[in-house]
Amino acid sequence: MDLTHRPRRLRQDRIRELVSETSLEPTDFIAPVFVDATTDSRIPIESMPGHERVPLEESVARVEEVLETGVEAVMLFGIPTEKDAEGTRAWADDGVIQEATRRITTETDAYVLTDVCLCEYTDHGHCGTLETGIREGDCGHASLTVDNDATLESLERIAVSHAEAGADMVAPSGMMDGMVAALRGALDREGFTEIPVMSYAAKYESAFYGPFRDAADGAPAFGNRRHYQMDPANAREALREVRLDVEQGADVLMVKPALPYLDIVSALRREFDHPIAAYNVSGEYAMLHAAAEKGWLDLEETALESLLSIKRAGADLILTYFAEDVATQL
Ligand code: PBG
């Protein structure tokens, strides 16, 4: 037996840290924050223990809590006062995100990213304007879907309104074709050439978004999102999809969800030089909490291991509901 090679030599206590390949910092994280224009007190999100929808009045206080943990960036999601077919409250000057962004960027040093999408603002819960014509189910297999090109115009308005309110970065998440080019063009036309676009470039049609849809009240009223979000079966398509966003000028490329798609994170890492972001989504958070609540898993350790794995796979930044807890642990 040849035991010249004994990897265990480097696993002893005092050497482990020196040979560690991956480390996590609070500055790797972006913490999602939910601002709810329909409430004047904080509402706990049942399926995401520890998270709340906060009223506008508390948005600054909420972000200050995040900053205290060492996390420096937040991603804002809004729940509007009213919804309509077009999602017009998404680009209103006095909209929930516009107001929150204004307050947070004036009163704190947080780096503010905004989610540019329509599903929280449309009464049907889809990520854009619906095509006119055939109704879902009318002739068996036909289904109503989102009108890509009409939606791009709405997304441009949203991004510009967020930038005007002071957003530091905009993140289109609707998986519309051409959304990055549309946003880049609109931002540049309005003089926001320095605002980066983080594209939810490879966003899958995932069942792991369940708790978020409760949190942000954005579940589709009918059907699903498979006409625009990606098929979980496809990896090559992700490269193609992401390459298009790169050509359109995306500054940061995101994969979403994270844990079930680490192969995609690592493929993007190899293929592109851009910063890669991964979104450790609501379901990934909820499942660890649920298991921990039953005493089946250790929450702190599994959360840390999850985020470490996402970083090891190649993500530079991680959007995660664990941001504050893990930052405090570090
Ligand atoms: C909006 C959006 C969603 C998430 C982030 N932005 C919901 C969706 O696509 O259904 C999900 C985030 C999460 O589950 O944590 N399009």
Side-chain angles (χ1 to χ4, degrees):
M1 192 166 38
D2 177 10
L3 278 175
T4 310
H5 301 285
R6 289 181 181 270
R8 285 183 56 177
R9 286 181 197 127
L10 297 182
R11 290 184 197 141
Q12 300 175 69
D13 280 345
R14 286 162 52 244
I15 188 75
R16 277 174 62 106
E17 285 298 309
L18 276 173
V19 298
S20 163
E21 299 175 25
T22 313
S23 61
L24 289 169
E25 307 290 337
T27 49
D28 295 333
F29 306 143
I30 300 170
V33 164
F34 298 98
V35 186
D36 185 344
T38 69
T39 177
D40 37 50
S41 60
R42 294 187 179 217
I43 304 173
I45 302 165
E46 213 174 310
S47 50
M48 297 168 67
H51 282 272
E52 305 167 314
R53 299 175 173 200
V54 304
L56 258 173
E57 284 59 41
E58 303 247 351
S59 54
V60 169
R62 175 74 195 95
V63 171
E64 277 165 352
E65 293 165 10
V66 173
L67 295 175
E68 267 164 38
T69 67
V71 174
E72 296 176 354
V74 293
M75 168 76 88
L76 302 184
F77 293 100
I79 294 95
T81 42
E82 291 135 44
K83 305 187 186 224
D84 57 35
E86 305 293 317
T88 56
R89 292 300 298 168
W91 59 83
D93 189 44
D94 61 347
V96 57
I97 289 301
Q98 291 77 3
E99 287 284 0
T101 301
R102 236 173 258 128
R103 293 178 190 212
I104 295 164
T105 52
T106 336
E107 294 179 43
T108 78
D109 290 328
Y111 189 84
V112 174
L113 298 96
T114 56
D115 183 77
V116 176
C117 195
L118 284 146
C119 55
E120 292 122 55
Y121 302 87
T122 52
D123 50 15
H124 45 74
H126 277 283
C127 301
T129 302
L130 296 179
E131 284 176 340
T132 45
I134 327 154
R135 280 249 141 233
E136 164 98 354
D138 268 3
C139 36
H141 57 273
S143 62
L144 198 62
T145 187
V146 171
D147 182 335
N148 191 88
D149 300 8
T151 299
L152 292 180
E153 289 174 31
S154 303
L155 296 179
E156 291 181 17
R157 288 192 201 111
I158 301 172
V160 169
S161 75
H162 289 177
E164 282 169 345
D168 294 298
M169 188 185 301
V170 291
S173 68
M175 289 301 280
M176 295 300 129
D177 293 336
M179 67 182 183
V180 173
L183 259 57
R184 186 72 272 151
L187 290 169
D188 289 355
R189 272 197 303 283
E190 300 299 326
F192 297 108
T193 55
E194 300 308 312
I195 304 283
V197 175
M198 173 164 78
S199 181
Y200 284 67
K203 177 173 178 178
Y204 285 88
E205 203 252 336
S206 170
F208 286 98
Y209 305 149
F212 175 95
R213 292 179 184 176
D214 298 338
D217 192 18
F222 63 86
N224 50 47
R225 305 206 206 284
R226 69 171 58 139
H227 295 134
Y228 37 106
Q229 298 180 349
M230 286 185 51
D231 183 345
N234 295 355
R236 292 190 302 271
E237 187 194 350
L239 289 177
R240 187 164 168 249
E241 174 68 71
V242 171
R243 196 166 293 121
L244 291 171
D245 286 4
V246 167
E247 286 164 12
Q248 292 170 37
D251 299 281
V252 181
L253 308 170
M254 194 205 291
V255 175
K256 182 184 171 190
L259 293 176
Y261 298 88
L262 292 185
D263 57 327
I264 310 299
V265 173
S266 114
L268 295 197
R269 174 71 296 147
R270 283 193 305 274
E271 200 75 18
F272 302 99
D273 297 327
H274 294 58
I276 306 292
Y279 200 142
N280 178 230
V281 302
S282 56
E284 300 175 60
Y285 177 82
M287 67 185 176
L288 295 191
H289 268 275
E293 208 170 283
K294 285 187 172 274
W296 293 349
L297 286 178
D298 181 277
L299 184 63
E300 280 198 3
E301 288 179 14
T302 51
L304 190 64
E305 186 178 333
S306 297
L307 301 189
L308 195 65
S309 305
I310 295 167
K311 184 105 184 263
R312 191 195 62 236
D316 303 291
L317 29 150
I318 307 174
L319 287 103
T320 178
Y321 304 97
F322 287 118
E324 293 161 272
D325 293 341
V326 171
T328 310
Q329 243 177 286
L330 293 172

